[in-house]
Amino acid sequence: MTIAATLGYPRIGPKRELKTALEAYWSGTSSEAELHGTAAALRRSAQARQQASGINHIPSGDFALYDHVLETACAFAAIPEGYGWSGEGPPSLATLFALARGARGTEAERAAGIPRDAVALEMTKWFDTNYHYLVPRLSAAMRFRLVANRWAEAFSEALAEGRRTRPVLVGPVSFLLLSKREDGGHPLDLLPSLLPAYAEALRGVAEAGAAWVQMDEPFLVTDLPPGAAEAYRTAYRTLAEAAPGLNLLLATYFDRLADNLPLAAELPVAGLHVDLVRAPGQLEPVLAALPKDRWLSLGLVDGRNIWRTDLRSALAQARRAAEAGFARQLMVAPSCSLLHVPHSLTPETELDPALKRRLAFADEKLREVALLARALDEGEAVIADALAESDRVLAEMQADPRLSDPAVAARLAAVTPEMERRRSPYPQRAKAQAARLRLPKLPVTSIGSWPQTAEVRALRARLARGEMDKNAYEAAIERLTAEAIRWQEQIGVDVLVHGEFERNDMVKHFGEQLSGFAFTRHGWVQSYGSRCVAPPIIWADVSRPAPMTVRWSSYAQSLTGKPMKGMLTGPVTMLQWSFARTDIPRETICRQIALAIRDEVQDLEAAGIPIIQIDEPAFREGLPLRSADRPEYLRWAVACFRLASSGVRDETQIHTHMCYSEFNDVIAHIAAMDADVISIETARSDMELLQAFLDFDYPNEIGPGVWDIHSPRVPSAEEMAGLLRRATSRIPAERLWVNPDCGCKTRGWPEVKAAMANMVQAARRLRAELV
């Protein structure tokens, strides 16, 4: 019998119930018991949905209150000092959330002994996705041990509901490679001390009654660092011996195994999962390399995008595997966890019907998996109607004349190399900009957005419901914008932003004004913790019918004599943070978006906006996992940014912003983007990320973030000044800016006003010291 399986399921709930529960708990309006009750209900509901859809291997332990990597670290006692954990027993929620968000000085934190200055762990992207994980901080002094077997508990919880699930763990090698050492060593050196804790976890899962355990090892699809191959051999030899009756499924996803295939095939595990959506070409090598006594899990349904599966093509791949000797040991599954797609299409009643027919969210993907498994066991005829529907929808999409716009194609064909270059090199531009802007040393600015308060959200909701006309809405937004500008002037910010009160999301706001985009009402996915996003759908050619931001930037600039930044989202991020069409190359989509942004940049300049920021936080996220694939991506990603930004005069200053990424391996290409100023996230890493810019001798200006806005704590002026001192020891002060790590839309006004005032004071202290 073919096993229908899933690797993971969305955590947040169809109506973002987890977000609501977390934020209620953090605000003190609900209890720990209520939070755990909501979490348990979400787990039960998720597993029931999968079971009802025909899934045989339902995951457990894939749920997390904030982040699965963080909860793995806590389960194995990988908790740095200073977070209120006694060293015995499971850590409290106060400790968990202090690690995730930093201390806030709450009563629960004080009771747990958590100091008010405890900072959040560093946060970065989960491989090449927009999900963020917390980076464990490890050291040789840590005594790894199992203090909470969250996987055995999750299995037992499901078993009590009558479901025998497949616990999911981050594998030990990937866990270490996702971590950082505080003491300067290599994380893999800690494997011998970590493995006994993993072995104990697996024994506990086996004793609870589990037959299978999924070990996620996504690093197997990357270029492994020295020592990793032997680490895998040691780890899985140890784990196989620890629980000999337990079937281990080695799960790989996001790319191809390639040169790591022989290693994966030799490991003593019961089965191997491979991603055949991102890497369909690896099927034949896997069939040849994997011993025929192993189970083969085929990732045939896209876990990263929302387009429905070509069932006939996927079934052909599955049949090929069955015919190659795996017929009795075959699993069908999504390519990866469904964490990265929304819950269900059912509530999306306002989508274009033809477009909706082409989509599949998590629940629809479950049914696709079950259909494929059934067809393998019972024959194609049993899913004949589903195959015919899949064929019809695919043909309908291919024939849809709305997908292509001849005018967009003509513009792309007319792009010249000169359109991707600024008129003058940076040193010449810097002189023209300095003469125009007349900024002090260490100019203070922010990344763009101010808090999206309940008032702002209520205004937007009233407009959408027709309870407020456009004129009244815009008058209210003008009032909020004017208040924000007066406050920035009062505290001494040097380069102002209008606050983006009229915007719902940094991608959606632009997509709603561009052709080729569609939007869901309930298509939420988790970015980190309680932060959810509803990615747009790029379904047709992209163009800009009219200016998008000029009205609000011009209004804001009219209220102040200080420079105002025009705020745009860059083409790479627009692409990465959308569910993009798959019928044309991603480069083509990105270049279409770049031309639309270029038009907006030129209109902002014509309106007198002296500084234009084109955010590209997803630039590093889009980097392929394999080094051999990176040059091609970097070529077009850099070119698209330059196409968007290069149509301005020398005196117009172009900024960009990047966050929550490692920059070392792309720093030369960031420099090649040729932005006049780049702002980056560095507060959580204690300026560690700035080292890449120093080592490379980054030539342009840079604003290293000195306030982690994803944490609710407010750093003091002296703390920020300390970070700036580190920055000035690495980068000349003449090329440094002072700013937060990211935009402030998720924070509240009291903490924003306090932190920004401290930031201005920190900059003034450093200016005085540098005289």
Side-chain angles (χ1 to χ4, degrees), residues 31 45 84 88 193 250 311 373 505 548 587:
S31 67
S45 174
E88 300 296 332
S193 59
L250 188 70
L311 288 179
D505 176 86
M548 301 180 286
E587 176 184 358

Side-chain angles (χ1 to χ4, degrees), residues 161 188 281:
E161 296 284 328
L188 286 180

